[in-house]
Each structure stands twice: as structure tokens, then as C-alpha cells.
Amino acid sequence: MIAWFNARSLREKRLLVVMVALLALTLVWLLVIRPFGDALSSERERHAAAVIRLGETQARVDTLRQIGRLRAAPLTGSFADAVRARAADAGFAIALLQEDGPGRVRVAIAGARPAVLVLWLARLELAGILVEGATFTDKGDRTVGVQLTLRARAR
């Protein structure tokens, strides 16, 4: 190879040196720089996904801690009176309120808008009054009749 190279003219030698240098640069780029760039890009994507998962997990943990801190205020008076007062506050006319034992009542509401009723039931659950059973009847005028069995949450 050295004899062949020495047999070339000065111009050809320069061109061959430039060609070998460009070949070396190309091989370094293909075999070293590009794989490391791809690995870095892949690791950045994995890191971003891990950061997102961490944030979601922390948000879930915070939500669970907040739920754990929420304690319903103790109900004052009888359970039936508490349910009656909360229904009146929400604007529902109770057609029937019958006690089924300590901390348990059956309630009938003749007509209520479904969205308002569901919101009221959610607020009851936050206050420590659980819905044990519910039967909804469509009234045909965008309201529903409802039969509920409610009980106090065990403390």
C-alpha cells in the first residue's frame, strides 16, 4: 500500500488523504456519534414518560390523602331529621320518610331533576349518609321519582 501511495502524484496523494479523512469522519459518525445520539434520544423519551408517571402517581397519592382527611361531621339530632333537613336545603319535597331502624331510613321523593338529585346524593355521601338502595322512575317531564334507602356511615 505504501509503495502504491508513494507512486502517486502530489495532487493524488492529497486527494487520497482527504478521502481517507472523510471516510474516517463518516465511520466515526456512523459507529459512535449516531448510536449515542439515538440512545440519548431514547433515554430522554423514557425520562419524560417517567416524569409524567411520577406526576400522575403523586396526584393520585395527594387525592387519596385528601380523601383520608375528609371526615364527615357528626350528624346532629336524629338521622331522619338530618335527612329531612338536607332534602329541604336541596329543595326536594319528601313524599315519605320512614325510619327502618337506628341510622337507616327509607325516603320517597315524588319529583326531582336527575342532575340535581345525583349531586345531592353525592353531597350526602360526603356528609356520611350512604345510599344503600335507589329506585328511579321516569316521570316523562324531565323529572324522576325516587325511592331511596339511606343509612348512616359507621364511625
Side-chain angles (χ1 to χ4, degrees):
M1 279 296 255
I2 294 174
W4 174 81
F5 183 75
N6 288 333
R8 303 284 148 219
S9 68
L10 182 62
R11 182 175 177 201
E12 287 176 337
K13 287 180 184 178
R14 288 180 182 161
L15 284 174
L16 286 172
V17 168
V18 169
M19 180 185 75
V20 169
L22 289 175
L23 178 65
L25 283 174
T26 303
L27 288 176
V28 167
W29 181 75
L30 283 174
L31 299 175
V32 177
I33 296 172
R34 189 169 175 201
F36 280 128
D38 290 347
L40 276 174
S41 175
S42 173
E43 290 304 314
R44 283 186 189 118
E45 289 174 11
R46 286 185 53 218
H47 178 265
V51 167
I52 290 170
R53 281 193 315 271
L54 175 65
E56 290 172 347
T57 302
Q58 286 175 338
R60 288 179 182 150
V61 167
D62 290 343
T63 301
L64 289 174
R65 284 185 181 147
Q66 288 175 357
I67 289 171
R69 280 187 230 132
L70 287 178
R71 296 285 181 229
L75 299 173
T76 58
S78 74
F79 184 65
D81 292 338
V83 171
R84 184 178 290 113
R86 290 177 188 273
D89 289 344
F92 296 123
I94 294 181
L96 170 72
L97 181 74
Q98 180 180 2
E99 289 194 56
D100 257 0
R104 185 177 165 143
V105 294
R106 279 190 283 161
V107 179
I109 298 174
R113 297 190 66 97
V116 177
L117 183 65
V118 170
L119 181 63
W120 179 64
L121 293 176
R123 286 183 182 153
L124 285 179
E125 294 224 350
L126 285 175
I129 300 172
L130 302 178
V131 178
E132 225 175 46
T135 305
F136 296 89
T137 308
D138 184 13
K139 297 293 185 181
D141 59 351
R142 294 187 178 182
T143 63
V144 292
V146 64
Q147 303 275 334
L148 299 169
T149 303
L150 305 173
R151 71 173 172 84
R153 179 180 290 155
R155 304 260 177 226

